[in-house]
Amino acid sequence: MASQTGLHIKPQLLVGPVTALEFIEDVLISGEGPYLSVYSVERTTSILTEDVLSPCNIHGFRKGWSTSSLICVFGQKSVRILHLVKDHARYRIKCLTDICEFEDWIWDVAWVCVKKGDQNSVLSLALCHNVVLLWDWQRDSVLQRVTCEEKCILYCAKFVGQSWDDLVLAAGTVFNQVIIWSMNGQKDGQDQQVVLQRLSGHQGVIFSICFDPRTKRLCSVSDDRSIKLWQLTCTLNKTDNKMSDSAGYDMDEGDITLEDWSNMEYTLINTLYGHSARVWDVGLLEHFIVSVGEDSTCVLWSYEGKVIQKFKGHKGKSIWSLAVNESQNLLVTGGGDCSIRAWPITTTLTGASEVTEKKLALPVQTGSSITHADDFPRSVALLGDLVMLVMTNNGVLYKYEMLSSNWEVLMADTRYRSYSVLATSLCKRFIAVGNIHGDIKVFYLNDDALCVNQIEKSVYQGKVMNVLWLTDPGTDQCTKLLTSGSEGNVILWNVTTNADNICDLVKYANVSLPYCKQRWVSAAQYLHEEDILVCGDRGGTVHVYDCSHNGEASSPLQSFPKIHGKTGVTCICYHDNYVYTSGRDGQYRQYVFVDGKLELMNSNKVFKGLEWIDQLLFTSDGNMLILGFHTSYFVLWSVTHNQRLFQVDCGGGHRAWDFNLNQNIARFAYIKSGGIVACEGVVQLEQPILKPRIHGREMTRVVHLSTIKGTTCGDVHICATSSEDTTVNLVSFSHSSAGVCDLKVQNRLQGHLSSVRALAGTHSNYTPTSDVTRVLFSAGGRAQIKCWRVNVFSQIANTQNPTVPLHDVDNKMVSTEKGSSSVMKSDTVLLDTKSGYRDIINSEVLTKDKHNTLPDCIPIVDCAVHMSLGEIEQTRTHCSHAMSKALSLSISETRNVKDESTNTYSGVPTSTFEHLGSHMLGKSGKKCYKPWKKFQYNPNPETRYMDLTALTASMLDATMPTDLHFVAAACSDSYVRLFCFNEKTRTFNILGQSAFHCHCVLCVGHKIVSNKCHNSVLIYSAATDGKIALWDVTQIIRQHVCAVVLQREENNVLFSTDSKNGSAYKRTQHMNNSYLDLPVPENIPNVDGSVTSISDCDKSHKHVNMELNVPKSTGTSVISQTGSHTANNTAKWSSTSHFDLKVEGIDMGDPTAVFHAHQSGVNAVSLKHIKDDWFILASGGDDNALHMTFLQMAAPEDKDGLLEVTVTGTAVNTSAHAAQITGVHVLDAKHLLTVSIDQRLNVWQLEDDCTQITLMESKFVNVADVADMDVWSSGENKYEVAICGVGLQVLSITL
């Protein structure tokens, strides 16, 4: 349908599965939906992106013969011819034809020669129903149509040959066969081509076929997870030497004639199994076979059937495409996780990851008093690349030179017999050895690894449990030695050396470990600037000590009991202002120091099965490497690349071992069966990633968090996305002038047990140093909900303080520089340099001055669950000192005010996150026998959170606490649940719940409604029964806020003496809060769950406004299609209620209003305030219908402030889409958007009489299985629309 006047829809970004790849000279082209992208492999950057095949998805590229820049792009039923033009260093795409559509799905395309010298004028097309077309693309004419006698549907096809006369098609059928037939062969009686050969053997349909004309090998892959390799042999005897099998001649595709094909024999020479799921594609190289499949694995095979290497960098279900460069030393794959990864390959059959092993035996020195033939190694350490240290059972310390195979005795002491501990420093200059008698020896080595000095001290009465060298963060200088003795006695030593290479140990601090079964230090890190020691014991607890106190052994400032289970902390390190710990529980955790205390931010698992993490390493480019054990294998894993770099079958982690990595050479030494094994291999640390991944499975939700304006990259939008892969991503994208929309994954939030189906967020004031702070809630399967704090930092351009470049974020942690204030398009940000306040107000809220003096009656704030989070906040927060120096910034009001922002930001805004808390339904009341776990849950696998909406208490009343967040959840068990999350205590409480719907609740949202007396909170929910319910939860929220505030003030009462009468009185703060003008329960709940009676207290000393009348509840009214509806607030919230903060939800009663809008499930609801007390409620459901209800809502004083809802009219379009509607958003009083599974984004206009809905424009979107839509304003009459499903697409709409 043609666009209406002024309406314009422009696609801005598409992130989807990479379905086609091809090398064109020194660049790589990819197909993502209808977009063709050009990448520089050398710089691993995107050069150009252009829509060339819309609305079809690109499935393949075919290069022309004479020039590789002539490209045929095909996908689905369409074909287009392009020319990739290179003007100096710039590329552009020149379209030579329009998009040409054919009768059927196209499986393969080949350039063919009909007559000599005419190479690039004709194409052959293989169609889905085994039909071949000969097409003249210059004249857009089908010259010939050829059919085969086999009429079945094809799942794949591959042309072999360059001449039309000798062209052959190898096709994979639905009957598990590969059939080979020619376009010009023998025909049957119906003028159809006869099949030349049928290859059987697969147990599933054929997905891909590849043919190598030089070796005459044909390869097929199938649904049965197998790869079959066939050898073709020509039995025709020829007198010339054009082709001779016995002579071993190689053939080009043009050398195999139709006569040769008619005399071919086919021999199955190998069947390969190595994929754990279906195999999608295969390629035949000179030395290797390469295959990709549904298991997201790229496998490199030898022709003998041996697996050379497995590349597992992709996440999710599938790798869809592959390409190999002309020199066959670089393999590129494109996956369903939307990423493009390059894998260097070698020409040797051993592969790049081959590990060489060398077994060593201790030297036997007969006649020696300390060295015996029955001696065996106890400890091993690598001292650099070429030196190994071995401590034996007889107390001998050997130094082994790997190049010369020379053994040297550094120490031979019988006091170190039978028991010893060994440690080497990171700088490779110091060696420490401890024994059972409490002695330690320290060796100082020079640059040639020669011992120049040694000292010995008696430290403990009992044995030395462990010795550790501690390195100052950011340097390789080892200045501290930690020794751990019996009874938890830990000593920190200063290590000093003088000009004569004389070293000495000076006691620096003495700390004591709390009692536990295994009371010694297993890992530690000293922070020089803070003078803090962070150590972990063998019992799995992390302790924090202040080392500034001299004297007796100090106790820990903090402890994290059993945070790594009960099997011990294995590593503690410091990187980029964060502390990291790891353990044998299979997790590594990230901490940050806040106000001198260590706070846990995140916990992460590496991959399933890696339960033993032993060490964390960070490379210079920020790549996190993990050393651990997976079953019997030692594994080196790259978190950034999601790839196993190095592995050795050593037998498991219960042995002495050491690892050293120098550039790309990895060395691993371990002890097994009384012998020493030294291993060496090459690792690929720098894997080229042309495009980072976003999600491995389908996306379920997208939520806009913020927009940073005025950056050098343009407006940068920050969004959160969730997926079936159990992760939540924080992504940023911007529109560049070069036509490339750059999307970056800032952070990956992990921790959900099942798929994440819902996201919601609110503002937060807990991090004033960040430019934008959000509290993000995520929920999904297993009835699990999590809360995160997201901080967004923008960087103001400053020539004196250049911006620190951000690492390409494909990892989990991102370091940021603290910058100045950011700007959201939907917010107004005011920085007052005098007062130090930052005021964020909604763009629709009128202000009297820059200090945000609100009018008496605040207009209604639109904060539905799918609205921009920037349209919510009405509060004031303090700024940091750095922020108070920033310039005053303002953004235009959404419609009417010109944008006056003048600041320019340098670089891409960065973000950090912190996990605040989580909640699961079904918490068990049984005694927990694992004290290192906080709670023992019995999760209900049947209950899922389907949708969330969130608001802060300050949105209801500006004087309410900003750290109380209220979350409404739509649950699959038919309940609507209302939670409160306390950002200060990081706890969840269920305030209320209702099973009114009696069906699975699909969506939920909220609206702040302004009344003359007070604001109201309205929650709307919709379920599979087609009903939409409205809930007034104002009293529930106010009661809880009152209880929390009273409890806080009870805990913060200041006692003093009245100077006049000498009596004691209580003095509290914040006595003038208007939100306390509400009923006070007789029993005040405490935060710890106890209840305090106020009958013994003088209410006049509490609050002067506690005697106000309680709003009384009214009777239940029956809901009709038109008329007035009143909420039924039950007596559970009256003044006699016992409001316990730990009660698992109170029945919310009946809803305020109910509408039966759809015949089946309601997937999306949008509630928009129009003017005064008029609203539009729009919904879309599984019945393909769009339903609009016009409401009038008010809270008259004679009804005690309870909302009344009146239906004034309806408008329905029963066939708004061809499939179920999954997203609805009301833009204004006249326009709304809908999106559906039919991949259509529709713009609707409401007629003046409000009885009809007219379709203005329908836009095809390239996201399959559309799950959600979010919309936010980007200017006057401009909107950004984000649509997610199998991919993510962003479009701009101008009305």
Side-chain angles (χ1 to χ4, degrees):
M1 179 176 294
S3 299
Q4 301 293 323
T5 303
L7 177 61
H8 181 64
I9 303 177
K10 180 183 178 182
Q12 298 286 0
L13 166 72
L14 175 65
V15 180
V18 182
T19 53
L21 291 171
E22 187 65 59
F23 278 96
I24 305 294
E25 297 178 351
D26 58 343
V27 298
L28 178 79
I29 60 174
S30 70
E32 305 161 44
Y35 289 86
L36 186 150
S37 299
V38 182
Y39 293 90
S40 170
V41 180
E42 181 180 358
R43 301 195 304 268
T44 64
T45 57
S46 176
I47 301 174
L48 176 65
T49 298
E50 189 170 325
D51 186 350
V52 298
L53 206 64
S54 185
C56 299
N57 294 328
I58 298 174
H59 290 163
F61 304 105
R62 295 295 181 264
K63 297 182 291 186
W65 289 349
S66 58
T67 171
S68 60
S69 61
L70 183 65
I71 306 168
C72 173
V73 183
F74 68 94
Q76 297 179 211
K77 297 182 179 181
S78 300
V79 175
R80 195 171 196 178
I81 309 301
L82 310 173
H83 188 204
L84 184 62
V85 182
K86 183 179 181 181
D87 296 331
H88 302 290
R90 300 178 65 89
Y91 285 86
R92 62 183 178 89
I93 296 174
K94 181 181 179 180
C95 297
L96 304 180
T97 67
D98 294 331
I99 300 175
C100 302
E101 186 172 340
F102 292 88
E103 63 188 73
D104 203 353
W105 201 278
I106 301 171
W107 280 128
D108 194 23
V109 174
W111 298 91
V112 295
C113 179
V114 177
K115 55 183 178 180
K116 188 175 181 180
D118 191 11
Q119 294 183 334
N120 291 324
S121 62
V122 181
L123 287 164
S124 59
L125 285 70
L127 305 185
C128 181
H129 284 79
N130 215 4
V131 176
V132 174
L133 302 180
L134 183 63
W135 179 53
D136 188 339
W137 63 272
Q138 294 175 332
R139 298 179 177 86
D140 191 13
S141 173
V142 176
L143 304 179
Q144 195 171 345
R145 186 179 189 274
V146 184
T147 60
C148 179
E149 64 175 352
E150 186 67 56
K151 292 292 187 180
C152 68
I153 296 176
L154 304 182
Y155 270 59
C156 65
K158 179 67 176 178
F159 282 114
V160 180
Q162 297 176 351
S163 170
W164 175 255
D165 294 334
D166 299 324
L167 190 66
V168 167
L169 181 69
T173 72
V174 72
F175 298 119
N176 312 337
Q177 289 183 332
V178 177
I179 61 172
I180 299 175
W181 62 283
S182 171
M183 314 303 105
N184 298 281
Q186 183 181 355
K187 297 183 179 180
D188 61 6
Q190 298 180 356
D191 200 29
Q192 297 172 339
Q193 294 294 325
V194 177
V195 175
L196 298 177
Q197 185 67 39
R198 297 177 184 269
L199 304 181
S200 301
H202 282 291
Q203 302 299 315
V205 296
I206 315 298
F207 287 130
S208 181
I209 297 171
C210 185
F211 180 75
D212 186 355
R214 296 171 302 177
T215 59
K216 294 181 293 182
R217 288 173 177 163
L218 185 144
C219 191
S220 60
V221 298
S222 170
D223 183 51
D224 62 3
R225 309 180 183 182
S226 70
I227 304 170
K228 291 189 178 294
L229 187 64
W230 311 80
Q231 180 67 59
L232 279 62
T233 306
C234 182
T235 60
L236 181 65
N237 294 322
K238 293 191 176 183
T239 57
D240 57 5
N241 290 330
K242 182 178 179 181
M243 184 181 81
S244 175
D245 296 327
S246 59
Y249 283 92
D250 290 336
M251 302 181 299
D252 295 329
E253 287 190 37
D255 295 330
I256 306 178
T257 64
L258 179 59
E259 186 180 10
D260 297 330
W261 283 108
S262 302
N263 293 274
M264 285 286 187
E265 287 186 353
Y266 302 83
T267 306
L268 179 63
I269 60 175
N270 216 334
T271 300
L272 312 178
Y273 288 95
H275 287 275
S276 59
R278 293 177 289 184
V279 188
W280 295 133
D281 203 0
V282 67
L284 297 178
L285 311 183
E286 183 178 357
H287 300 287
F288 302 109
I289 303 172
V290 58
S291 61
V292 296
E294 193 179 22
D295 56 358
S296 295
T297 303
C298 177
V299 183
L300 204 63
W301 311 77
S302 69
Y303 278 97
E304 291 75 24
K306 179 183 178 182
V307 175
I308 302 300
Q309 194 167 2
K310 286 188 176 184
F311 303 109
K312 294 185 177 182
H314 289 276
K315 282 277 190 177
K317 291 195 302 184
S318 295
I319 298 178
W320 291 113
S321 54
L322 65 90
V324 182
N325 64 348
E326 187 175 356
S327 58
Q328 296 190 0
N329 61 358
L330 186 65
L331 169 67
V332 178
T333 56
D337 59 356
C338 311
S339 70
I340 302 176
R341 293 174 177 261
W343 314 92
I345 56 179
T346 62
T347 57
T348 61
L349 291 178
T350 57
S353 62
E354 183 72 14
V355 178
T356 59
E357 291 188 355
K358 182 179 180 181
K359 296 184 178 180
L360 306 175
L362 292 177
V364 178
Q365 300 179 8
T366 58
S368 173
S369 60
I370 60 173
T371 306
H372 303 279
D374 60 350
D375 198 5
F376 59 88
R378 276 193 171 272
S379 304
V380 62
L382 292 174
L383 198 65
D385 299 332
L386 303 175
V387 178
M388 181 191 302
L389 299 176
V390 180
M391 189 72 187
T392 71
N393 184 60
N394 287 340
V396 181
L397 178 62
Y398 285 103
K399 184 180 75 171
Y400 175 73
E401 299 284 349
M402 296 185 184
L403 290 180
S404 61
S405 300
N406 181 46
W407 291 88
E408 178 185 345
V409 177
L410 293 181
M411 180 191 73
D413 193 337
T414 56
R415 289 177 56 82
Y416 292 82
R417 185 191 300 270
S418 301
Y419 175 86
S420 62
V421 288
L422 172 67
T424 60
S425 64
L426 184 63
C427 62
K428 309 303 179 185
R429 289 295 188 93
F430 296 99
I431 306 170
V433 185
N435 64 12
I436 200 171
H437 304 289
D439 305 326
I440 59 171
K441 270 189 180 182
V442 176
F443 300 85
Y444 179 60
L445 309 180
N446 60 12
D447 294 335
D448 297 326
L450 299 177
C451 182
V452 295
N453 181 245
Q454 61 176 316
I455 58 174
E456 185 172 10
K457 282 183 177 289
S458 179
V459 181
Y460 301 109
Q461 295 297 324
K463 66 180 179 179
V464 179
M465 306 298 298
N466 201 3
V467 289
L468 297 170
W469 290 101
L470 306 185
T471 305
D472 289 338
T475 68
D476 291 338
Q477 300 300 320
C478 297
T479 60
K480 295 287 189 297
L481 174 67
L482 183 143
T483 60
S484 181
S486 59
E487 303 300 328
N489 188 7
V490 179
I491 302 176
L492 189 63
W493 306 84
N494 265 334
V495 182
T496 60
T497 56
N498 57 22
D500 297 328
N501 293 327
I502 304 300
C503 64
D504 191 16
L505 292 180
V506 179
K507 183 183 294 187
Y508 181 74
N510 191 8
V511 300
S512 177
L513 290 177
Y515 176 79
C516 67
K517 186 176 181 180
Q518 296 172 308
R519 197 179 177 189
W520 68 85
V521 174
S522 57
Q525 175 66 58
Y526 175 73
L527 306 182
H528 177 74
E529 293 184 0
E530 295 84 359
D531 201 10
I532 292 293
L533 175 67
V534 183
C535 60
D537 60 30
R538 187 62 175 80
T541 302
V542 174
H543 306 282
V544 180
Y545 293 91
D546 184 0
C547 297
S548 61
H549 303 291
N550 296 322
E552 297 297 328
S554 61
S555 299
L557 298 176
Q558 283 179 276
S559 291
F560 297 83
K562 304 291 183 180
I563 193 170
H564 283 288
K566 58 182 181 180
T567 52
V569 181
T570 57
C571 177
I572 300 178
C573 60
Y574 185 83
H575 176 73
D576 211 0
N577 299 323
Y578 293 104
V579 175
Y580 294 86
T581 66
S582 65
R584 296 183 186 180
D585 59 345
Q587 297 197 38
Y588 65 93
R589 292 176 166 87
Q590 182 191 31
Y591 310 77
V592 65
F593 272 101
V594 178
D595 297 331
K597 290 188 176 182
L598 198 64
E599 289 190 4
L600 175 65
M601 295 186 64
N602 305 293
S603 299
N604 298 276
K605 271 188 170 291
V606 184
F607 64 87
K608 187 176 181 180
L610 186 65
E611 299 298 335
W612 187 326
I613 299 177
D614 210 289
Q615 193 173 347
L616 304 177
L617 299 178
F618 292 90
T619 62
S620 58
D621 60 352
N623 186 5
M624 178 188 284
L625 304 179
I626 292 181
L627 282 64
F629 293 90
H630 182 217
T631 62
S632 63
Y633 288 89
F634 168 81
V635 175
L636 175 64
W637 182 271
S638 171
V639 175
T640 303
H641 300 151
N642 189 38
Q643 175 68 21
R644 183 175 299 168
L645 304 178
F646 181 84
Q647 72 174 20
V648 175
D649 188 1
C650 63
H654 295 284
R655 64 193 67 253
W657 62 273
D658 198 9
F659 178 82
N660 181 71
L661 181 64
N662 185 7
Q663 296 181 352
N664 63 338
I665 304 298
R667 293 178 174 87
F668 178 64
Y670 63 97
I671 296 175
K672 185 177 182 179
S673 301
I676 308 166
V677 182
C679 305
E680 181 178 321
V682 179
V683 298
Q684 189 69 37
L685 291 177
E686 298 180 358
Q687 184 212 353
I689 300 178
L690 281 71
K691 184 181 178 184
R693 64 184 175 91
I694 178 168
H695 282 291
R697 301 292 293 267
E698 296 82 0
M699 298 186 201
T700 55
R701 284 291 185 271
V702 57
V703 172
H704 175 250
L705 297 180
S706 176
T707 297
I708 310 299
K709 293 192 61 72
T711 69
T712 56
C713 305
D715 294 351
V716 179
H717 305 284
I718 311 294
C719 293
T721 61
S722 62
S723 171
E724 296 282 351
D725 64 1
T726 74
T727 64
V728 177
N729 285 347
L730 302 178
V731 300
S732 64
F733 61 90
S734 59
H735 313 303
S736 66
S737 59
V740 178
C741 190
D742 188 20
L743 183 140
K744 292 184 179 296
V745 178
Q746 298 275 0
N747 301 98
R748 302 189 190 279
L749 282 56
Q750 297 180 331
H752 279 276
L753 301 177
S754 186
S755 63
V756 186
R757 301 185 62 90
L759 294 174
T762 60
H763 285 267
S764 173
N765 300 320
Y766 256 71
T767 312
T769 56
S770 65
D771 301 303
V772 178
T773 304
R774 300 289 183 266
V775 172
L776 180 66
F777 296 93
S778 58
R782 301 292 186 92
Q784 183 183 32
I785 182 172
K786 284 184 170 290
C787 181
W788 319 80
R789 184 185 294 135
V790 179
N791 304 311
V792 181
F793 301 85
S794 61
Q795 301 168 339
I796 294 183
N798 190 340
T799 56
Q800 297 179 354
N801 298 303
T803 302
V804 179
L806 173 70
H807 295 303
D808 188 18
V809 185
D810 196 32
N811 56 358
K812 296 180 174 60
M813 312 301 175
V814 182
S815 65
T816 61
E817 294 292 332
K818 296 180 180 179
S820 60
S821 96
S822 65
V823 182
M824 293 177 55
K825 190 62 181 178
S826 52
D827 286 343
T828 299
V829 180
L830 303 175
L831 296 184
D832 189 349
T833 58
K834 295 182 179 180
S835 64
Y837 287 113
R838 180 179 69 174
D839 295 343
I840 304 178
I841 63 173
N842 183 268
S843 59
E844 295 180 344
V845 177
L846 301 177
T847 60
K848 295 181 179 179
D849 54 37
K850 69 177 182 178
H851 296 296
N852 191 21
T853 303
L854 298 177
D856 295 334
C857 182
I858 303 176
I860 295 168
V861 181
D862 191 354
C863 44
V865 63
H866 297 305
M867 285 295 293
S868 166
L869 298 179
E871 299 179 10
I872 300 177
E873 183 78 4
Q874 298 179 10
T875 187
R876 174 180 297 168
T877 59
H878 288 281
C879 294
S880 65
H881 177 68
M883 293 175 61
S884 66
K885 295 181 179 180
L887 299 176
S888 295
L889 306 176
S890 66
I891 306 181
S892 63
E893 191 270 345
T894 306
R895 292 295 180 108
N896 302 320
V897 183
K898 182 179 179 181
D899 188 356
E900 299 177 352
S901 176
T902 58
N903 282 6
T904 301
Y905 296 94
S906 174
V908 178
T910 62
S911 64
T912 62
F913 71 96
E914 180 181 359
H915 181 240
L916 299 182
S918 62
H919 182 273
M920 295 180 68
L921 296 178
K923 184 169 64 175
S924 175
K926 297 180 180 179
K927 182 179 179 180
C928 183
Y929 293 98
K930 298 179 179 180
W932 57 91
K933 293 187 176 181
K934 294 182 179 179
F935 301 105
Q936 186 176 22
Y937 291 105
N938 181 23
N940 183 0
E942 302 299 327
T943 303
R944 301 179 301 279
Y945 288 118
M946 308 301 294
D947 199 6
L948 295 177
T949 185
L951 70 153
T952 59
S954 58
M955 292 167 53
L956 182 61
D957 192 311
T959 62
M960 285 186 176
T962 59
D963 58 356
L964 295 181
H965 306 267
F966 296 93
V967 183
C971 306
S972 63
D973 59 356
S974 77
Y975 276 87
V976 176
R977 290 181 169 92
L978 181 63
F979 296 86
C980 177
F981 178 75
N982 191 322
E983 192 176 356
K984 185 176 182 180
T985 61
R986 301 188 176 189
T987 56
F988 280 93
N989 292 107
I990 300 182
L991 306 185
Q993 58 187 9
S994 175
F996 166 80
H997 284 285
C998 298
H999 295 80
C1000 175
V1001 186
L1002 297 177
C1003 58
V1004 67
H1006 77 272
K1007 176 74 65 178
I1008 304 296
V1009 181
S1010 179
N1011 304 301
K1012 293 182 178 180
C1013 54
H1014 61 79
N1015 290 342
S1016 299
V1017 179
L1018 186 71
I1019 291 177
Y1020 52 87
S1021 60
T1024 56
D1025 58 356
K1027 294 181 181 179
I1028 302 173
L1030 305 181
W1031 311 78
D1032 186 355
V1033 295
T1034 308
Q1035 290 300 320
I1036 300 178
I1037 292 177
R1038 286 181 177 271
Q1039 288 277 20
H1040 184 77
V1041 173
C1042 177
V1044 172
V1045 172
L1046 291 180
Q1047 178 60 51
R1048 290 179 179 178
E1049 294 185 353
E1050 276 291 312
N1051 296 334
N1052 296 323
V1053 168
L1054 301 177
F1055 290 89
S1056 62
T1057 303
D1058 193 329
S1059 59
K1060 294 183 178 180
N1061 52 23
S1063 62
Y1065 69 96
K1066 298 180 181 180
R1067 180 166 54 89
T1068 62
Q1069 300 176 351
H1070 307 294
M1071 300 297 293
N1072 59 346
N1073 291 334
S1074 61
Y1075 62 86
L1076 293 178
D1077 299 340
L1078 46 85
V1080 181
E1082 293 183 355
N1083 295 323
I1084 303 300
N1086 298 321
V1087 175
D1088 60 1
S1090 61
V1091 178
T1092 302
S1093 174
I1094 65 173
S1095 59
D1096 300 330
C1097 303
D1098 187 356
K1099 293 185 180 180
S1100 63
H1101 292 167
K1102 277 282 184 181
H1103 294 284
V1104 296
N1105 53 8
M1106 288 302 179
E1107 296 181 357
L1108 296 178
N1109 293 330
V1110 180
K1112 297 180 180 179
S1113 62
T1114 60
T1116 305
S1117 61
V1118 180
I1119 308 303
S1120 60
Q1121 187 63 24
T1122 60
S1124 178
H1125 314 295
T1126 306
N1128 175 27
N1129 291 289
T1130 62
K1132 299 179 182 65
W1133 299 105
S1134 65
S1135 60
T1136 59
S1137 301
H1138 290 234
F1139 194 94
D1140 191 346
L1141 294 181
K1142 289 194 173 183
V1143 172
E1144 288 294 314
I1146 298 176
D1147 187 7
M1148 296 192 303
D1150 293 332
T1152 303
V1154 179
F1155 313 102
H1156 200 153
H1158 295 270
Q1159 300 177 10
S1160 52
V1162 184
N1163 299 315
V1165 179
S1166 178
L1167 182 60
K1168 180 72 174 180
H1169 172 247
I1170 304 304
K1171 63 178 180 178
D1172 299 332
D1173 55 356
W1174 296 90
F1175 297 81
I1176 293 179
L1177 179 70
S1179 60
D1182 291 337
D1183 56 0
N1184 309 347
L1186 171 62
H1187 191 283
M1188 298 186 67
T1189 305
F1190 306 98
L1191 306 174
Q1192 188 175 9
M1193 287 190 287
E1197 294 182 1
D1198 58 347
K1199 299 295 184 180
D1200 296 326
L1202 301 177
L1203 280 177
E1204 284 189 346
V1205 180
T1206 304
V1207 177
T1208 61
T1210 60
V1212 182
N1213 189 323
T1214 57
S1215 301
H1217 284 271
Q1220 57 264 41
I1221 299 174
T1222 55
V1224 173
H1225 189 92
V1226 181
L1227 298 178
D1228 52 35
K1230 291 293 183 181
H1231 304 90
L1232 71 152
L1233 303 177
T1234 60
V1235 71
S1236 168
I1237 296 294
D1238 63 3
Q1239 296 183 241
R1240 296 296 191 276
L1241 173 65
N1242 290 349
V1243 182
W1244 303 88
Q1245 182 174 1
L1246 184 65
E1247 300 299 333
D1248 294 335
D1249 58 0
C1250 296
T1251 59
Q1252 290 185 344
I1253 313 171
T1254 304
L1255 179 64
M1256 297 180 63
E1257 184 170 355
S1258 182
K1259 180 71 175 180
F1260 180 84
V1261 297
N1262 300 103
V1263 175
D1265 297 335
V1266 175
D1268 188 35
M1269 173 179 68
D1270 194 18
V1271 183
W1272 64 94
S1273 174
S1274 59
E1276 184 177 357
N1277 294 332
K1278 294 181 180 179
Y1279 299 91
E1280 300 290 328
V1281 181
I1283 300 171
C1284 70
V1286 184
L1288 175 68
Q1289 187 168 14
V1290 179
L1291 305 97
S1292 295
I1293 297 180
T1294 303
L1295 296 178

